[in-house]
Every structure is written in structure tokens, then in C-alpha cells.
Amino acid sequence: MSTAIRRLKYYKELGDKTFEQLGDADFHFQPNADSNSVAIIMQHMAGNMLSRWTNFLTEDGEKEWRQRDDEFEIHTYSKEQLIALWERGWDCFLSTLQMLTKKDLKKTVTIRQEPLTVIDAINRQLAHYPYHIGQIIYVAKIIKSESWKNLSIPKGTSAQYNNSEQVKDPAKKF
């Protein structure tokens, strides 16, 4: 469980570092009409986290109160409001993960009335959230263009990075 939490905290940090580079208007930029803005992706992730991880072991992960379709609508949230929503989702998710016991990992939960093991539910989110964080980073790189500050190994520096003494897995710091 601790490795999953560390990995997820690393991906959250990538999102956080991306948001630091963006201004209010940047959060609402859409590359085209069928693409999601950073704000919409954040709304969706927060809605998903709150629905899936509130009363995780005792209620279906798709809550009746969730308004999933609204998560994909354009809202006029400020950068601060979006980050507060993002943090609320992550707090719910990570605090639930940290409370799970080894015994809980063998239990079955439901999402949209379909049963799955707790381990599978965690793995599902380990794929889902980094997928969307990658989208956030990609849109932000388009917006920032030449002023983008790299969050990983910059182009042309792989050999230098590989030969350095630093820890190579960034999730180990969590």
C-alpha cells in the first residue's frame, strides 16, 4: 500500500508543479472544442475522487450525489477555487488509502454496482489519475510553450541524469 501512496503523491506533485506555472486564464484554455481544459480535468478528477473514496468500503463508488456530466462543463472557477477542489479530492483519496488495513485489501467494493477487489479499485485509480495528470501537463506545455519549466529529465540530459548520484525514482521522496 505504501508504494501505491508514494507513487500517487508523486503524480499529485506533478499536477501541483504544473499549476504553479499557470495563470487563471490558462486553466480554462481548450486546444479545441472537443478537448478538455485543465480546469475541466481537475473538476472531473476531484468529482471522481470524492465519489469513489467517500465511504469507500461501505458504499458504491458512484454516489447518487455525484454530478459527473457537470464535471465536464465549463465553469468560471478561479485558480484558487480549482486548486481547493483538487486538494479536497486528493485529501479524501489519500486519507482513505492511508486508513486501509491489510485485511481491507481482500475485501470487495462496488463501483457502478460492479464488484471489484479493493486492490483492483486502487489499481484502477493508479491508471486513471496519472492518465489525466498527463493530459494536464500536455495542455500546460502547449500553453506555456517556450516558458514551460520541465518536470522531468530535460531533453538531451538523459545520460547525465543516469550517471548522477541522485535517486532515480522521484516517488521515493514520499
Side-chain angles (χ1 to χ4, degrees):
M1 179 63 65
S2 63
T3 59
I5 292 170
R6 278 200 314 266
R7 197 80 42 215
L8 287 156
K9 285 182 177 181
Y10 165 68
Y11 281 103
K12 179 188 181 296
E13 180 183 62
L14 290 177
D16 295 340
K17 287 182 175 182
T18 298
F19 306 149
E20 290 171 7
Q21 298 187 50
L22 300 176
D24 269 48
D26 295 333
F27 282 82
H28 301 283
F29 168 80
Q30 289 180 267
N32 60 54
D34 291 327
S35 296
N36 292 321
S37 66
V38 170
I40 288 172
I41 298 167
M42 291 172 76
Q43 292 165 189
H44 168 60
M45 287 182 67
N48 181 279
M49 289 175 180
L50 292 168
S51 182
R52 295 287 181 268
W53 300 95
T54 299
N55 303 322
F56 173 66
L57 294 173
T58 58
E59 296 177 5
D60 191 279
E62 188 66 17
K63 306 293 187 284
E64 289 183 22
W65 47 258
R66 183 179 183 198
Q67 299 294 316
R68 186 182 184 282
D69 290 337
D70 186 63
E71 295 165 13
F72 293 94
E73 294 297 323
I74 296 171
H75 297 281
T76 57
Y77 299 138
S78 68
K79 177 179 180 174
E80 291 77 23
Q81 289 172 310
L82 289 163
I83 290 172
L85 185 62
W86 168 264
E87 291 295 337
R88 188 170 157 228
W90 278 101
D91 287 346
C92 177
F93 177 39
L94 292 173
S95 65
T96 299
L97 284 183
Q98 290 166 340
M99 291 187 319
L100 294 174
T101 66
K102 284 185 181 181
K103 194 174 184 180
D104 291 331
L105 299 178
K106 296 178 183 176
K107 293 181 179 177
T108 298
V109 296
T110 58
I111 297 177
R112 295 188 180 106
Q113 302 172 9
E114 290 185 26
L116 60 160
T117 65
V118 167
I119 291 284
D120 196 24
I122 294 167
N123 286 338
R124 182 175 173 163
Q125 302 318 102
L126 267 168
H128 185 208
Y129 300 149
Y131 164 79
H132 285 308
I133 292 167
Q135 292 174 323
I136 287 170
I137 293 168
Y138 187 73
V139 172
K141 287 174 83 169
I142 291 169
I143 294 166
K144 299 312 289 181
S145 188
E146 300 299 319
S147 66
W148 173 253
K149 293 179 186 87
N150 197 300
L151 304 177
S152 184
I153 305 166
K155 288 180 183 180
T157 66
S158 295
Q160 177 186 353
Y161 181 84
N162 291 339
N163 293 322
S164 72
E165 296 294 320
Q166 69 192 52
V167 175
K168 305 302 187 281
D169 181 355
K172 285 188 176 177
K173 71 180 177 182
F174 295 103

